[in-house]
Amino acid sequence: MKPVVLIIFEEGPLRQSLASRLKDEGFCVLKADNGSEAEELGYRRDIDVILFDLGPSKLDSFGVLQQFKQILPEAQIILLNSGEDIKLSIK
């Protein structure tokens, strides 16, 4: 069975680029552009890896992150920051 990766990025072109590359590498890819969509996928699917963009965001990034730690405690979460806010990256 292919590993399942969830990509949570608001920026569509970057989300699509990552999805295409991961599909080419043999992963099953799910995409979400907001926290509620991502959370819904988390309840419906077993997810192995979550790629999560911290910024620039209208999302409550750390609130969504906490939800995923509860919903999918076994999933590996990789945080990325496409924004320019270095303070958010350090937090």
Side-chain angles (χ1 to χ4, degrees):
M1 184 169 5
K2 294 180 181 181
V4 178
V5 178
L6 172 59
I7 301 172
I8 309 170
F9 275 60
E10 289 178 331
E11 188 178 327
L14 183 55
R15 184 176 61 245
Q16 188 57 43
S17 176
L18 282 169
S20 293
R21 179 61 190 236
L22 288 169
K23 284 179 184 177
D24 289 347
E25 295 294 326
F27 292 92
C28 175
V29 178
L30 306 173
K31 299 177 283 185
D33 65 356
N34 61 60
S36 60
E37 185 180 341
E39 188 176 336
E40 183 179 319
L41 287 169
Y43 281 115
R44 291 189 295 142
R45 297 288 305 264
D46 287 330
I47 296 170
D48 301 298
V49 178
I50 300 168
L51 295 177
F52 189 85
D53 182 23
L54 290 175
S57 181
K58 299 176 198 98
L59 298 172
D60 171 12
S61 299
F62 292 100
V64 172
L65 181 60
Q66 291 300 321
Q67 284 288 345
F68 272 104
K69 286 183 177 182
Q70 292 175 8
I71 297 168
L72 299 164
E74 300 297 318
Q76 299 297 310
I77 301 173
I78 300 171
L79 301 175
L80 304 169
N81 187 357
S82 66
E84 297 178 14
D85 188 356
I86 191 69
K87 292 178 185 175
L88 181 62
S89 298
I90 294 170
K91 186 177 180 182

